[in-house]
Amino acid sequence: MNAIIEKLKQVRRGAMFIIEGPSGVGKGTIAKEILKRDPNIKFSVSVTTRAPREGEKDGVDYYFISDEQYNEYVKQDAFYEFVDSQYGNRYGTLRSEVDSFLNVGEDVLFDMDWVGARQMRAKAPDDVVTIYLLPPSIKELRERLQNRGTDSQELIDKRMGMVLDKMSHWNEFDYVIVNVNVEETIAKVQKIISGERMKRVRQTGLNDFVNELIKEASSHE
């Protein structure tokens, strides 16, 4: 029995898990903990046209590319999703990067906005699973942004100004979690991942296994 289970694991197709929510809701914290605790889920390295920041490494934090290379990728339809940010930089998720994981039964986790999630679902509807995080209250959300101490008041106000637009897309997502407690939210996300891994569409070895069962059952008739 153990041999059968291991064989089915080996031929499972991976899934893309996208976590989205307004700034300050805890997306980054949840994503980091999931990656730390689950060896079968990976982080996809995106491409960007911006210059590396201090301490960033090519191929680890991002693939740093030119505008010309980016344009070529767009022409080749090489991205699962891509976006030009309001600050002039451009970002994209390469199909080849993600598929290298999916094809060997490993899952990929993304901290991505609803625009990217929509693009990815359109291109790979069977592979994409989306999770939306909501804050327990707007007051709590603002307090979290202020308490993390990384943004100026001006930037916090700007992020808060985008909350309404962000939350208006919550019902496009497969799962919705109110992030009251980090550990409870992590546990819920882990349950979602476990359940999605068992879906028939991802158990690519099941057809052969069931055919063997049918053949065996027929020989005993």
Side-chain angles (χ1 to χ4, degrees):
M1 180 60 74
N2 287 338
I4 293 170
I5 291 170
E6 285 304 312
K7 184 177 179 182
L8 289 175
K9 275 185 186 177
Q10 290 169 11
V11 293
R12 181 181 73 83
R13 180 164 176 79
M16 295 183 265
F17 293 94
I18 298 173
I19 298 179
E20 160 68 322
S23 294
V25 78
K27 301 187 298 291
T29 300
I30 302 302
K32 283 177 186 174
E33 285 302 313
I34 293 295
L35 289 165
K36 189 191 299 183
R37 301 180 193 192
D38 190 336
N40 292 317
I41 194 159
K42 308 299 180 184
F43 180 75
S44 173
V45 180
S46 300
V47 304
T48 183
T49 58
R50 74 163 171 76
R53 293 173 183 150
E54 186 177 349
E56 288 185 330
K57 294 181 180 179
D58 185 56
V60 176
D61 299 286
Y62 287 97
Y63 294 114
F64 296 99
I65 63 173
S66 65
D67 275 305
E68 290 75 20
Q69 180 64 67
Y70 187 96
N71 290 337
E72 189 60 33
Y73 280 142
V74 172
K75 282 183 189 175
Q76 295 170 359
D77 193 26
F79 290 127
Y80 267 125
E81 61 85 33
F82 61 96
V83 65
D84 292 0
S85 83
Q86 58 186 317
Y87 304 107
N89 301 314
R90 307 162 84 189
Y91 299 85
T93 301
L94 286 170
R95 289 176 184 258
S96 56
E97 171 80 7
V98 176
D99 288 346
S100 67
F101 295 122
L102 301 186
N103 292 335
V104 295
E106 293 183 324
D107 304 306
V108 187
L109 185 67
F110 302 87
D111 170 357
M112 183 182 292
D113 67 15
W114 64 269
V115 178
R118 188 182 280 182
Q119 288 183 53
M120 292 184 78
R121 187 185 289 284
K123 291 186 177 180
D126 289 338
D127 291 332
V128 173
V129 180
T130 55
I131 304 166
Y132 198 91
L133 298 184
L134 287 169
S137 70
I138 301 304
K139 179 185 175 186
E140 172 78 10
L141 187 67
R142 180 178 284 277
E143 287 176 358
R144 288 180 186 178
L145 283 171
Q146 290 171 332
N147 291 339
R148 69 186 187 184
T150 57
D151 299 330
S152 65
Q153 189 59 50
E154 182 183 359
L155 187 54
I156 289 172
D157 290 340
K158 184 176 181 180
R159 292 189 189 282
M160 290 303 298
M162 297 168 66
V163 168
L164 209 55
D165 177 63
K166 279 263 192 181
M167 290 200 308
S168 68
H169 298 278
W170 71 273
N171 58 356
E172 296 180 26
F173 287 70
D174 300 312
Y175 300 91
V176 178
I177 301 171
V178 179
N179 185 23
V180 178
N181 177 279
V182 170
E183 281 301 322
E184 288 179 3
T185 299
I186 291 168
K188 288 174 182 176
V189 173
Q190 288 175 319
K191 286 179 181 177
I192 291 168
I193 291 170
S194 295
E196 288 290 337
R197 283 172 172 165
M198 294 304 297
K199 279 193 171 177
R200 178 177 53 80
V201 69
R202 295 191 184 97
Q203 302 299 313
T204 53
L206 276 180
N207 276 345
D208 290 341
F209 178 65
V210 172
N211 286 336
E212 285 297 318
L213 288 180
I214 291 171
K215 190 186 298 182
E216 186 181 351
S218 299
S219 68
H220 290 286
E221 284 184 354

